[in-house]
Amino acid sequence: MTPGSTQSPEMSLPSLLLLLLPPFLTLEPAGATLIRIPLRRVNTGFKALNPLRGWEKLEEPPSLGAPSPGNKTFFVPLSNYMNAQYYGEIGLGTPPQNFSVVFDTGSSNLWVPSVRCHFFSLPCWLHHRFNPKASSSFRSNGTKFAIQYGTGRLAGILSEDKLTIGGITGATVTFGEALWEPSLVFIFAHFDGILGLGFPVLAVGGVRPPLDRLVDQGLLHKPVFSFYLNRNPEAADGGELVLGGSDPAHYIPPLTFVPVMIPAFWQIHMERVQVGTGLTLCARGCAAILDTGTSLITGPTEEIRALQKAIGAIPLLMGEITRSGFSVCLSGFAALDVPPPSGPFWILGDVFLGSYVAVFDRGDRKSGARVGLARARPRGPRQ
């Protein structure tokens, strides 16, 4: 939590806040052999790892091509620490060199630190680093790239190698070797890099995102993935990223889909935000982005101020604290003003997504992109 955080009495989010999304279609997923990526969770305070680039020059995303045969779904277990940061494991190269990455729906590039990083790039020396000389499948590219996130930036060169993720092996991807990471957020991060799951139009350098490469090469039958984020801080697992579909065991039906408004970020239309019975925000409808790379729920400053007041939150300048063995309950909302033409919009981060299973479906030539939401099944007594 950064300075300017807010403190509020402990209370149930669903009883206070109702985010209304227009229903589009309710479906149950067909059975499939699912492949899982475990998640872990780590607490680094408030973050907004989103490029939030202007959209005035966006083009149509490239075609995903014909779907590949088979109907397999891949599971990637996620790690979770104090409900603030979720990450999982991937491998790059032959043999695979393992890295912890944030699976970020708010960006579209894959990058990890490099052994060739700058001597004064401290985050590089504190994390796992990719060594091209240790991989027999490495292919040099050398194109320079730079990414600016909401709370950090980095620069490096593009390279090509094999990706291993959730049981999928042999996928050729173009990724970034980070040579310069000057931002403090990467020093304290428990993850090594970021794997973007946004649309191709967001990819820096015109790089084909990893999800698209998996589909292009017939290693994933359709461009669909889902997140289950375990919000119980005492649980051993942080949840799962599921590639190719969703696991009905993670949620309580129905699974309701809403269309994506702009195929860049996972942006949908939100009808309104109802706080108790006395306050309505986003009263005329507004844009909202579902983003696994942001911890909190963010919105326009004036509306967030009204929301914080309604739930009894007060400013807390020192950030997240624990005194005499007692933890302070912190609000899960933060103000973030995104100017036109990109904004304004709300960001529904992990605080929101932790209550749901979110299915991200890129669609195909016949149907557009959509997001499905269903109530997550609780795990553990404190979830």
Side-chain angles (χ1 to χ4, degrees):
M1 210 42 92
T2 56
S5 303
T6 52
Q7 173 184 353
S8 65
E10 186 166 1
M11 50 188 67
S12 172
L13 178 62
S15 66
L16 283 172
L17 178 72
L18 179 63
L19 286 78
L20 295 179
L21 308 174
F24 179 63
L25 182 63
T26 302
L27 289 175
E28 297 294 333
T33 302
L34 303 178
I35 298 179
R36 307 170 185 268
I37 303 174
L39 295 182
R40 285 178 286 172
R41 174 179 52 205
V42 65
N43 182 20
T44 60
F46 172 72
K47 62 184 181 71
L49 290 173
N50 310 85
L52 299 182
R53 299 161 56 201
W55 294 352
E56 64 275 8
K57 297 182 180 179
L58 294 186
E59 301 174 353
E60 286 294 319
S63 170
L64 285 172
S68 62
N71 187 29
K72 292 184 178 180
T73 306
F74 297 78
F75 289 73
V76 182
L78 301 182
S79 299
N80 172 17
Y81 180 73
M82 297 300 290
N83 297 325
Q85 189 181 96
Y86 295 81
Y87 58 95
E89 302 295 322
I90 65 167
L92 284 170
T94 306
Q97 300 174 41
N98 295 328
F99 299 92
S100 297
V101 296
V102 171
F103 297 99
D104 179 22
T105 58
S107 64
S108 298
N109 288 82
L110 166 61
W111 65 265
V112 296
S114 172
V115 294
R116 299 183 279 184
C117 62
H118 194 283
F119 180 79
F120 294 105
S121 181
L122 184 57
C124 176
W125 300 99
L126 299 176
H127 294 85
H128 297 100
R129 295 174 291 161
F130 177 76
N131 184 358
K133 294 182 179 180
S135 173
S136 62
S137 53
F138 173 79
R139 296 292 181 270
S140 178
N141 180 305
T143 303
K144 295 181 179 179
F145 80 98
I147 300 178
Q148 175 69 56
Y149 294 99
T151 55
R153 61 188 177 93
L154 67 136
I157 57 174
L158 297 178
S159 297
E160 183 179 294
D161 214 327
K162 301 296 184 180
L163 171 67
T164 299
I165 179 171
I168 299 177
T169 61
T172 301
V173 296
T174 301
F175 67 99
E177 290 188 60
L179 305 180
W180 179 238
E181 301 174 61
S183 304
L184 289 176
V185 65
F186 296 127
I187 293 178
F188 302 106
H190 284 240
F191 59 87
D192 301 311
I194 293 177
L195 191 152
L197 291 168
F199 289 81
V201 72
L202 286 183
V204 172
V207 173
R208 194 81 164 143
L211 180 70
D212 298 78
R213 296 296 289 151
L214 294 176
V215 176
D216 293 343
Q217 297 169 50
L219 299 171
L220 192 64
H221 71 287
K222 56 183 177 180
V224 180
F225 59 93
S226 60
F227 277 92
Y228 165 72
L229 304 181
N230 191 347
R231 299 294 289 176
N232 180 5
E234 296 182 353
D237 67 297
E240 284 184 326
L241 163 62
V242 181
L243 299 178
S246 60
D247 183 356
H250 284 162
Y251 61 84
I252 302 171
L255 177 63
T256 302
F257 284 89
V258 293
V260 171
M261 297 171 58
I262 300 176
F265 297 106
W266 291 91
Q267 179 180 339
I268 61 176
H269 176 75
M270 188 163 63
E271 290 185 348
R272 63 184 179 274
V273 178
Q274 189 73 42
V275 186
T277 58
L279 177 64
T280 300
L281 307 173
C282 172
R284 298 181 180 180
C286 57
I289 291 172
L290 284 84
D291 184 9
T292 57
T294 296
S295 299
L296 307 181
I297 297 174
T298 76
T301 297
E302 292 305 314
E303 293 196 296
I304 292 297
R305 283 177 179 172
L307 188 153
Q308 305 283 33
K309 182 178 179 180
I311 66 175
I314 59 174
L316 187 63
L317 297 180
M318 70 287 295
E320 185 172 355
I321 59 173
T322 300
R323 291 180 175 176
S324 302
F326 293 93
S327 298
V328 175
C329 180
L330 299 177
S331 167
F333 303 92
L336 179 64
D337 293 310
V338 181
S342 301
F345 53 69
W346 289 64
I347 298 178
L348 307 181
D350 296 339
V351 167
F352 173 84
L353 294 171
S355 297
Y356 299 90
V357 166
V359 180
F360 299 83
D361 184 352
R362 291 270 292 274
D364 51 31
R365 295 187 181 96
K366 296 181 180 179
S367 60
R370 59 183 186 167
V371 173
L373 292 171
R375 275 286 178 184
R377 292 190 184 276
R379 284 192 186 181
R382 292 188 55 188
Q383 185 162 7

